[in-house]
C-alpha cells in the first residue's frame, strides 16, 4: 500500500509464495474462488500474479478489495495484460483455450520471481499452498518443474492411446498444477528435436510450436510434454492427490495417494463445476464459493459439504466421499489449532 513501511529486511517477494493464474473470457468467478481457497488455508504470505484480459482487470480489483481485511492482509497481487514475447500473439492466444498459452511465458515475464506455482482457474486448494511449496526443496540439481501424471493407468490414458507427438513418461503429465523454479528454467539450455546445441526456454517455444502445431490437441500442455520428453531429468513428478481430476474417480478410484491422504488440490476440468456430470466436484466448488469469509469453517463449510455429498453417493466419485473430505477436515483442524495458539499466546502476555 502507498506509504506503508515494511519492517522486514527481506523484500516481500522473497517472503511470498508466488501463485500465477491466467483468466480470460468467462473465468473471472472461477479464478476468484480458486484464490479464495488459497487464502482460506495458507499460512505464509501469498503473492498472486493474475494474467487477464484488460476488460476483467477492474472487476478483479473490485472483488479482491471487497474481501475482509483479515484476509487481504495475507496476500498482495498484481494484474498483468496478456502478452507473448515471441511468435504470433494471435496464434498463441487461440491455442487450445483462450490465453492458456500465457503460462508458457511466465519465466520470461516474471524475471524477478525465483519460484512459482501456476494453476488453472478451475483448481481448488484443500490444504495450505505451503505444503506443495515445500516440494521445491525436494528438487534435485537438475529438476526445475513439477507436475502430476495425466493418468495413472496407461491403457485408459489419453496420451498413451492417442498422442501423435512425443510426451513425458508412460501417460504424459497434466499442466493444470505446475510448480516451477523460474531461475533454473531461465538458466537452462534445453535439448530438443530442432538444433543439437540446445535452446533457452524463450528460444525454444515458437519453433517447437511451429514444428508440432498440426499434431497437438491440448495446446500448451502438449508443448510442455514434448519439452520434458526431451528433458526428463528436468521434471519432478508429484503424486495425483496434488492434481485430482474427474478421471481419477469416474472410471473407478485410481489415485492411491488420494485414497490414503485425501485430495490436496482439486482440479475441476471438463467444466464439472458448472454442470451436473460430477456433483462431488460441483459441491466443493459451491461450498467454497458460498462460504462467508469470517464464519466458522466447520459450521459454514465442512458441514454443508458433508450434507451436499449425501446427494452424490449414487455417482462413481460420490461413492468415495472420504477421498474428498479427509484432507480438508485435517486442514481446518490445523487452522483452528493455529488460531487457538495465537489467541492463547496473545492473552498470556497480560
Amino acid at each position: 500500500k502507498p506509504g506503508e513501511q515494511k519492517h522486514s529486511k527481506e523484500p516481500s517477494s522473497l517472503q511470498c509464495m508466488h501463485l500465477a493464474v491466467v483468466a480470460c473470457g468467462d473465468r473471472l468467478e472461477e479464478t476468484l474462488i480458486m484464490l479464495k481457497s488459497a487464502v482460506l488455508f495458507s499460512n505464509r504470505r501469498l503473492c498472486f500474479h493474475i494474467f487477464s484480459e484488460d476488460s476483467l482487470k477492474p472487476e478483479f480489483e473490485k472483488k479482491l478489495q471487497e474481501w475482509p481485511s483479515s484476509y487481504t492482509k495475507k496476500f498482495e497481487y498484481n494484474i498483468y495484460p496478456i502478452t507473448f514475447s515471441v511468435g504470433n500473439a494471435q496464434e498463441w492466444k487461440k491455442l487450445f483455450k483462450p490465453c492458456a498459452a500465457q503460462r508458457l511465458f511466465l519465466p520470461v515475464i516474471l524475471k524477478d520471481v525465483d519460484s512459482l506455482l501456476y494453476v488453472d482457474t478451475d483448481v481448488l486448494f484443500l490444504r495450505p499452498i505451503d505444503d506443495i511449496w515445500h516440494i521445491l526443496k525436494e528438487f534435485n540439481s537438475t529438476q526445475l518443474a513439477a507436475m502430476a501424471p495425466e493418468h495413472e493407468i496407461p491403457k485408459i490414458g489419453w496420451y498413451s492411446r492417442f498422442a501423435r507427438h512425443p510426451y513425458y513418461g508412460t501417460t504424459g503429465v497434466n499442466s493444470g498444477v505446475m510448480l516451477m523454479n523460474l531461475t533454473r528454467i531461465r538458466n537452462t539450455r534445453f535439448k530438443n528435436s530442432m538444433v543439437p546445441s540446445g535452446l533457452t526456454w524463450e528460444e525454444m517455444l515458437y519453433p517447437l510450436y511451429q514444428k508440432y502445431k498440426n499434431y497437438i490437441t491440448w495446446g500448451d500442455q502438449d508443448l510442455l510434454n514434448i519439452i520434458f520428453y526431451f528433458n526428463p531429468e528436468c521434471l519432478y513428478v508429484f503424486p495425483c492427490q496434488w492434481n485430482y481430476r474427474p478421471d481419477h474417480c469416474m472410471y473407478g478410484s485410481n489415485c492411491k495417494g488420494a485414497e490414503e491422504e485425501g485430495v490436496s488440490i482439486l482440479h475441476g476440468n471438463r467444466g464439472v463445476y458448472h454442470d451436473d456430470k460430477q456433483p462431488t466436484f460441483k459441491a466443493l466448488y459451491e461450498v467454497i464459493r458460498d462460504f462467508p469469509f469470517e464464519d466458522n469453517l466447520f459450521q459454514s463449510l465442512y458441514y454443508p459439504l458433508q450434507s451436499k455429498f449425501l446427494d452424490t453417493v449414487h455417482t462413481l466419485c460420490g461413492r468415495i466421499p472420504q477421498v474428498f473430505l479427509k484432507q480438508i477436515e485435517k486442514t481446518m483442524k490445523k487452522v483452528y489449532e493455529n488460531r487457538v495458539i495465537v489467541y492463547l499466546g496473545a492473552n498470556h502476555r497480560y
Side-chain angles (χ1 to χ4, degrees):
K1 294 179 183 176
E4 182 182 31
Q5 288 186 322
K6 288 189 169 65
H7 299 288
S8 169
K9 293 178 183 177
E10 283 187 286
S12 63
S13 63
L14 292 179
Q15 301 167 6
C16 272
M17 297 179 294
H18 293 268
L19 178 67
V21 64
V22 180
C24 287
D26 59 357
R27 297 300 179 115
L28 177 80
E29 182 192 75
E30 260 189 13
T31 306
L32 288 165
I33 306 311
M34 179 276 291
L35 296 174
K36 182 179 183 181
S37 72
V39 171
L40 279 177
F41 301 129
S42 291
N43 301 314
R44 277 178 60 190
R45 186 169 178 77
L46 294 160
C47 287
F48 295 147
H49 301 274
I50 304 165
F51 291 80
S52 81
E53 294 165 311
D54 293 342
S55 58
L56 295 180
K57 183 178 179 181
E59 196 65 16
F60 268 120
E61 290 178 334
K62 178 184 172 215
K63 294 290 185 184
L64 289 171
Q65 286 162 13
E66 287 173 358
W67 290 4
S69 60
S70 57
Y71 285 94
T72 57
K73 70 183 181 185
K74 292 177 66 177
F75 69 90
E76 55 192 71
Y77 70 90
N78 282 300
I79 302 175
Y80 308 81
I82 302 296
T83 53
F84 304 99
S85 61
V86 293
N88 184 311
Q90 286 308 309
E91 263 189 301
W92 284 122
K93 194 168 183 180
K94 292 173 183 173
L95 183 64
F96 187 47
K97 290 185 178 175
C99 308
Q102 182 71 81
R103 89 183 86 183
L104 297 172
F105 293 86
L106 297 177
V108 181
I109 297 168
L110 301 174
K111 293 184 186 298
D112 297 328
V113 176
D114 175 65
S115 295
L116 177 83
L117 177 64
Y118 165 86
V119 295
D120 286 348
T121 60
D122 51 9
V123 153
L124 292 171
F125 294 94
L126 306 187
R127 68 189 286 181
I129 290 183
D130 310 59
D131 296 339
I132 192 170
W133 195 256
H134 288 316
I135 291 175
L136 286 164
K137 294 180 180 177
E138 297 177 21
F139 283 12
N140 66 25
S141 60
T142 62
Q143 290 166 337
L144 46 75
M147 289 185 275
E150 172 64 19
H151 217 288
E152 303 307 302
I153 305 169
K155 67 180 180 182
I156 56 175
W158 192 90
Y159 283 107
S160 45
R161 290 186 296 161
F162 304 119
R164 296 186 294 150
H165 58 77
Y167 57 89
Y168 178 87
T170 55
T171 60
V173 282
N174 183 281
S175 61
V177 180
M178 186 175 178
L179 191 62
M180 292 180 274
N181 184 317
L182 299 184
T183 302
R184 286 188 179 183
I185 290 174
R186 287 187 286 262
N187 293 337
T188 298
R189 295 194 75 83
F190 292 87
K191 298 189 291 291
N192 60 84
S193 58
M194 296 166 292
V195 297
S197 58
L199 293 168
T200 68
W201 186 266
E202 188 175 16
E203 288 170 345
M204 177 173 56
L205 290 178
Y206 196 60
L208 197 71
Y209 167 65
Q210 287 296 315
K211 179 168 183 175
Y212 290 103
K213 66 180 180 181
N214 295 325
Y215 304 99
I216 59 177
T217 302
W218 309 112
D220 50 304
Q221 177 173 291
D222 289 346
L223 292 178
L224 289 166
N225 266 282
I226 295 165
I227 290 169
F228 290 112
Y229 168 84
F230 288 106
N231 301 270
E233 73 284 358
C234 293
L235 190 66
Y236 178 107
V237 179
F238 51 66
C240 47
Q241 64 265 32
W242 292 105
N243 185 350
Y244 191 90
R245 285 159 278 126
D247 284 6
H248 289 120
C249 52
M250 62 192 286
Y251 305 116
S253 181
N254 59 49
C255 176
K256 297 297 180 202
E259 290 174 11
E260 292 166 7
E261 296 181 21
V263 174
S264 296
I265 295 179
L266 192 75
H267 184 181
N269 63 342
R270 303 175 182 263
V272 293
Y273 296 149
H274 312 294
D275 60 31
D276 296 316
K277 291 177 182 174
Q278 299 296 340
T280 43
F281 283 76
K282 188 176 183 181
L284 264 158
Y285 178 80
E286 290 179 345
V287 166
I288 293 174
R289 179 194 67 194
D290 298 339
F291 172 69
F293 266 106
E294 299 190 280
D295 271 22
N296 180 289
L297 277 167
F298 278 99
Q299 287 181 347
S300 300
L301 197 153
Y302 188 71
Y303 296 141
L305 190 56
Q306 281 185 314
S307 177
K308 276 179 176 278
F309 272 22
L310 288 175
D311 298 328
T312 74
V313 292
H314 62 286
T315 68
L316 277 168
C317 294
R319 291 177 191 173
I320 47 172
Q322 72 282 1
V323 165
F324 295 88
L325 295 172
K326 188 182 291 187
Q327 190 59 240
I328 196 168
E329 181 181 14
K330 187 177 172 183
T331 297
M332 287 191 290
K333 283 179 178 174
K334 280 187 180 175
V335 169
Y336 271 108
E337 285 168 8
N338 290 341
R339 285 180 185 172
V340 168
I341 289 166
V342 169
Y343 177 77
L344 289 175
N347 285 335
H348 187 66
R349 292 198 298 267
Y350 294 101

